[in-house]
Amino acid sequence: MTIFVTGGAGYIGTHVILELLEQGYAVVAADNFVNSKPSAVARIKQHSGIDFSFYEMDIRDSGRLNEIFTAHCIDCVVHLAGLKAVGESVEQPLGYYANNLDSTISLLSAMRAHEINKIVFSSSATVYSGNNEMPLTEESRIGDCINPYGWTKFMCEQILTDCARIGDGCAVALLRYFNPIGAHESGLFGEDPRDTPNNLMPFIAQTAMGKFSHLNIYGGDYETPDGTGIRDYIHVVDLALGHVAAIHYLCKHPGVSTFNLGTGRGVSVLELVTAFEQSTGISISKKIIARRPGDLAICVADVEKAKRELSWESKKSLHDACTDTWRWQSTNPNGYDS
Ligand code: NAD
Ligand code: UDP
């Protein structure tokens, strides 16, 4: 089977491609490097020992997509390309809507023209409304997103759902990721933020490297056992394996299927910091400051549906995620430029 991976040079894309190659899939990938580097692709080829076709291109370029779909016989698409910085999406909403929606629309149009009818889409827990009971099931309310990034995921889910209704035998998997962390255990692949990291784990790792004097903890007065926010942190390799499971599933299940990809376990900010300290032996200076606007107290997945229907569940521990993050960060202080 040949899988077309968009956003293949990114944090999740590199891990998805590694797992696909490992399991014998043929891969064709594309990325415009707006948030990634060509060296990530070179590393995949070197580490796996497998060459695959890679296209530097914007997924909005439908002419190029048509050329690729003519040159390769694609069985399924994994659509990861997208802009993902929440704060930036508030400052540049049009750029986010244009990139994330237009790329999905041109991809679906080209797929339709070439009769490719299976797609796995990277959605997010941000599509859920803020006032749901925890844990979140796939039936929890969606919408009322608190930023343009979340709305782009919500709208793409709707576009994919509408297209599946008209396409005979179309199969769509909407994967709602919780909080991906960690890195490949080889130490060669991981998250490589362009600027100051927005997310907790890369900020902890860069603080451990001495790039920042301390970690700011956004809020110590939430209604949680230690007062800090609780999230569902999933190892990126487990997440990547969830995509492989979704591809299997789509071969037998037409229509639209939605799955939470998380661990089902809630971990507070302080617990994650402690886990990192215990796994690495490095202590992290921290200060509790005001809450970050828009943050929920708790966001945890109910993962029963993915376990039941995809026969998939996360296997790696928080300790694995911390150890793998530190191996990547400490041996690649400048990310893929190292
Ligand atoms: P990433 O930024 O590392 O990877 C996304 C890749 O898409 C980048 O390499 C970027 O250069 C590329 N890209 C963006 N727009 C493009 C375009 N128009 N054409 C071609 N390439 C384009 O992000 P990631 O963490 O790997 O996330 C992958 C997907 O998963 C994204 O859609 C993101 O929104 C989604 N997601 C990520 C998280 C997370 O916490 N990392 C959580 C939920 C959902
Ligand atoms: N957080 C924090 N300091 C940081 C970054 C994040 O205290 O520098 C907290 C944030 O308030 C949330 C959790 O860590 O409770 C996870 O945040 P992240 O941005 O990684 O993911 P989110 O769940 O917001 O998408």
Side-chain angles (χ1 to χ4, degrees):
M1 246 181 123
T2 303
I3 315 295
F4 180 56
V5 181
T6 75
Y11 172 46
I12 297 169
T14 46
H15 291 84
V16 168
I17 294 176
L18 285 164
E19 294 309 322
L20 288 171
L21 294 174
E22 171 90 24
Q23 298 200 22
Y25 288 89
V27 168
V28 176
D31 201 300
N32 64 357
F33 302 124
V34 66
N35 195 38
S36 53
K37 294 174 187 144
S39 45
V41 181
R43 280 198 196 189
I44 303 177
K45 292 184 179 183
Q46 196 176 18
H47 178 74
S48 65
I50 299 172
D51 199 10
F52 57 89
S53 298
F54 180 89
Y55 295 88
E56 179 175 352
M57 62 169 286
D58 194 308
I59 303 301
R60 289 173 287 182
D61 183 343
S62 42
R64 294 284 310 276
L65 283 178
N66 281 317
E67 281 167 26
I68 293 170
F69 291 165
T70 304
H72 304 272
C73 187
I74 304 292
D75 299 290
C76 180
V77 173
V78 176
H79 181 34
L80 302 156
L83 299 175
K84 64 163 184 178
V86 167
E88 196 178 63
S89 79
V90 175
E91 287 155 21
Q92 305 165 21
L94 288 178
Y96 268 66
Y97 286 114
N99 191 74
N100 293 2
L101 268 62
D102 289 353
S103 57
T104 303
I105 292 167
S106 51
L107 184 61
L108 288 169
S109 308
M111 285 173 64
R112 200 165 159 68
H114 292 265
E115 296 179 357
I116 302 166
N117 60 7
K118 292 184 209 48
I119 181 166
V120 176
F121 176 65
S122 57
S123 190
S124 163
T126 54
V127 301
Y128 290 111
S129 302
N131 55 359
N132 280 298
E133 306 251 304
M134 292 295 151
L136 294 162
T137 73
E138 290 79 357
E139 304 307 316
S140 297
R141 278 183 306 282
I142 60 169
D144 308 327
C145 302
I146 45 178
N147 53 64
Y149 167 71
W151 280 118
T152 67
K153 293 295 177 193
F154 177 91
M155 291 175 189
C156 284
E157 284 199 2
Q158 187 62 46
I159 292 167
L160 283 151
T161 303
D162 291 340
C163 288
R165 282 200 192 109
I166 53 161
D168 220 7
C170 254
V172 176
L174 306 174
L175 302 185
R176 294 180 180 154
Y177 310 158
F178 280 66
N179 290 62
I181 59 168
H184 197 256
E185 64 175 9
S186 64
L188 292 169
F189 307 92
E191 194 166 4
D192 185 11
R194 255 182 313 175
D195 309 307
T196 302
N198 297 308
N199 296 115
L200 181 58
M201 188 56 136
F203 201 95
I204 292 174
Q206 293 197 10
T207 304
M209 288 295 286
K211 285 195 186 174
F212 305 106
S213 60
H214 65 277
L215 166 74
N216 283 322
I217 296 182
Y218 300 135
D221 56 354
Y222 283 108
E223 281 186 30
T224 59
D226 66 20
T228 65
I230 290 180
R231 296 289 180 274
D232 183 333
Y233 296 97
I234 175 163
H235 196 295
V236 66
V237 171
D238 281 334
L239 188 78
L241 289 167
H243 293 71
V244 181
I247 293 168
H248 276 286
Y249 184 87
L250 290 185
C251 294
K252 292 196 183 136
H253 297 86
V256 181
S257 311
T258 307
F259 296 103
N260 286 340
L261 294 189
T263 65
R265 290 184 298 277
V267 171
S268 75
V269 176
L270 283 173
E271 284 171 334
L272 187 63
V273 174
T274 303
F276 186 89
E277 291 178 327
Q278 287 173 349
S279 300
T280 62
I282 299 167
S283 84
I284 303 292
S285 302
K286 47 196 180 289
K287 281 186 195 157
I288 295 186
I289 62 165
R291 293 179 182 190
R292 185 170 65 177
D295 272 354
L296 295 176
I298 306 177
C299 182
V300 177
D302 181 311
V303 291
E304 291 310 312
K305 186 177 175 197
K307 276 189 198 169
R308 196 175 58 243
E309 295 188 26
L310 295 180
S311 304
W312 167 92
E313 63 182 307
S314 73
K315 295 267 164 54
K316 289 181 179 277
S317 65
L318 207 54
H319 170 72
D320 294 330
C322 293
T323 310
D324 292 340
T325 298
W326 183 236
R327 189 182 301 108
W328 156 254
Q329 180 68 63
S330 56
T331 55
N332 300 270
N334 300 310
Y336 286 105
D337 285 339
S338 302

